[in-house]
Amino acid sequence: MSSEPEYLWMDGDIKPRAEAMLPVSSAAVFYATNVFEGLRAYWNDDKEELYCFRLQAHFDRLRESMKMMRFTIRQSDADIYDAVREVLKANDAHEDVHMHLIACVLGSGQNATEPSFLYINPHYRGRMTAPDKGLACCISNWTRTSDNAIPIRLKCGANYQNARLALLQAQADGYDSPIFLNQQGKVAEGTGASLFIVRKGQLITAPITSDILESITRTSLIEEVLPKLMELDVVERTIDRTELYVADEAFFCGSGFEITPITSIDRFPVGDGNIGPITQRLSDTYMALVRGEDSRYPEWRTPTYNPVAA
Ligand code: PMP
């Protein structure tokens, strides 16, 4: 794996990383007035292609976040697709890439909405765990922010201070990663991932009204991958904290987390403390799909080097 990709796309220009700057007095820098998407592109050796996973769904969610924040960008979806391709090509990316698409406000003041600015920051980012390892999680004593405070449905940078507090606390206490409960004391999600458990053969995940992000990976699993490719149904319902302690399997999912097994929660082993069979099978199925080794759902993989019409 190389070091960081050298170039970013900054509202129309390709800029070397060292020159990619935002003004210090902008709302973007001072208040973190931004919304963003994090997604991965996967390199397929046979096809010699770099596939962006569920690009359109990320564009749609970016626009929903902008709507809630009351700012706009000039670019159409076709323009953003061109920009994604441009920055990946500028970096001559022929390996897996993670990217942030960030829309922010360069004006100053809490109520600044203009001018808005879009940039794309690619990273080389590995898997969250070694293939045979799961995460040791804890229930955070920080509460997930609620829909009437800073809604998690809105994917803005400022939300991730809630995640930072919980993550640093978890790590200070010797865990890998925290799990948030919401203000109702029910299970929400991880810092940057949705959470699923398996209990008595049933997959369960919290509903989108539990103060979670409307995760694109979660939707892909619930609507397509689990029922159609694996013949497993998922129940979306409120989850109690103690259900986590008696779960047979647990995993995080997300663009960055992919399928990441959780092998203990508050030091209780999940199942027998090893990666569960459904989690392993799902992870294999998901990785084959995103990379295009499994050719089903071609509409989920947007090519970089041989573009499709937007
Ligand atoms: N929850 C939060 C808070 C996140 O930041 C993410 C990552 N974007 C997820 C869940 C997973 O969402 P997605 O599958 O869309 O990446």
Side-chain angles (χ1 to χ4, degrees):
M1 186 169 304
S2 342
S3 55
E4 282 285 75
E6 191 180 347
Y7 297 105
L8 283 80
W9 184 93
M10 302 288 287
D11 216 47
D13 299 317
I14 293 289
K15 286 256 170 85
R17 188 163 293 279
E19 290 171 27
M21 309 273 186
L22 295 174
V24 286
S25 53
S26 61
V29 171
F30 187 54
Y31 294 113
T33 306
N34 69 34
V35 297
F36 72 97
E37 284 300 313
L39 67 132
R40 287 190 191 253
Y42 292 89
W43 178 250
N44 183 310
D45 242 344
D46 287 346
K47 308 250 167 51
E48 298 196 351
E49 185 52 275
L50 186 59
Y51 291 115
C52 300
F53 189 63
R54 301 218 63 180
L55 196 58
Q56 185 61 50
H58 284 282
F59 293 166
D60 293 346
R61 193 172 61 187
L62 187 73
R63 290 190 192 280
E64 287 182 359
S65 292
M66 283 192 294
K67 180 177 185 188
M68 287 183 268
M69 289 283 258
R70 299 178 195 274
F71 61 87
T72 51
I73 48 171
R74 294 178 281 113
Q75 292 84 1
S76 66
D77 288 358
D79 295 336
I80 314 178
Y81 176 39
D82 285 345
V84 166
R85 290 178 34 241
E86 201 181 332
V87 73
L88 293 174
K89 279 188 193 166
N91 286 293
D92 195 23
H94 287 74
E95 59 188 290
D96 295 357
V97 182
H98 183 274
M99 265 171 285
H100 284 130
L101 312 181
I102 304 148
C104 63
V105 171
L106 296 189
S108 57
Q110 271 179 346
N111 59 354
T113 53
E114 297 296 335
S116 48
F117 185 87
L118 181 71
Y119 65 104
I120 304 176
N121 189 2
H123 313 276
Y124 294 121
R125 177 170 167 185
R127 309 276 91 86
M128 298 302 287
T129 52
D132 56 340
K133 287 271 181 309
L135 297 176
C137 289
C138 62
I139 306 296
S140 185
N141 49 22
W142 293 95
T143 301
R144 197 48 148 169
T145 51
S146 67
D147 198 60
N148 279 325
I150 305 184
I152 293 295
R153 178 170 292 99
L154 161 59
K155 193 165 168 59
C156 65
N159 273 346
Y160 289 78
Q161 300 307 321
N162 184 220
R164 175 188 165 89
L165 292 170
L167 180 60
L168 291 180
Q169 180 71 59
Q171 291 177 345
D173 294 343
Y175 298 96
D176 297 320
S177 209
I179 294 169
F180 280 110
L181 304 182
N182 61 22
Q183 279 198 329
Q184 287 69 46
K186 301 300 180 187
V187 173
E189 60 178 350
T191 52
S194 283
L195 175 74
F196 283 69
I197 59 172
V198 182
R199 212 178 156 211
K200 301 188 171 135
Q202 187 176 58
L203 277 136
I204 309 166
T205 194
I208 55 168
T209 45
S210 284
D211 294 309
I212 64 170
L213 182 72
E214 290 184 21
S215 151
I216 292 164
T217 318
R218 173 186 175 282
T219 306
S220 310
L221 300 190
I222 294 175
E223 292 180 359
E224 304 295 332
V225 179
L226 289 164
K228 298 194 183 151
L229 303 188
M230 296 177 64
E231 293 179 2
L232 293 168
D233 286 328
V234 188
V235 181
E236 293 177 70
R237 65 156 176 80
T238 303
I239 302 175
D240 280 340
R241 169 187 191 138
T242 47
E243 286 185 278
L244 303 187
Y245 298 156
V246 293
D248 302 316
E249 301 187 32
F251 59 88
F252 283 134
C253 78
S255 305
F257 275 71
E258 299 166 323
I259 308 297
T260 298
I262 298 169
T263 44
S264 71
I265 299 174
D266 285 348
R267 304 286 179 225
F268 289 111
V270 176
D272 65 4
N274 294 307
I275 298 171
I278 292 177
T279 307
Q280 188 60 59
R281 196 153 68 86
L282 173 61
S283 179
D284 296 344
T285 306
Y286 180 80
M287 293 312 294
L289 264 181
V290 294
R291 198 176 297 287
E293 287 162 0
D294 179 338
S295 60
R296 290 173 289 185
Y297 299 98
E299 67 280 15
W300 284 358
R301 292 177 297 275
T302 305
T304 301
Y305 291 105
N306 299 292
V308 289

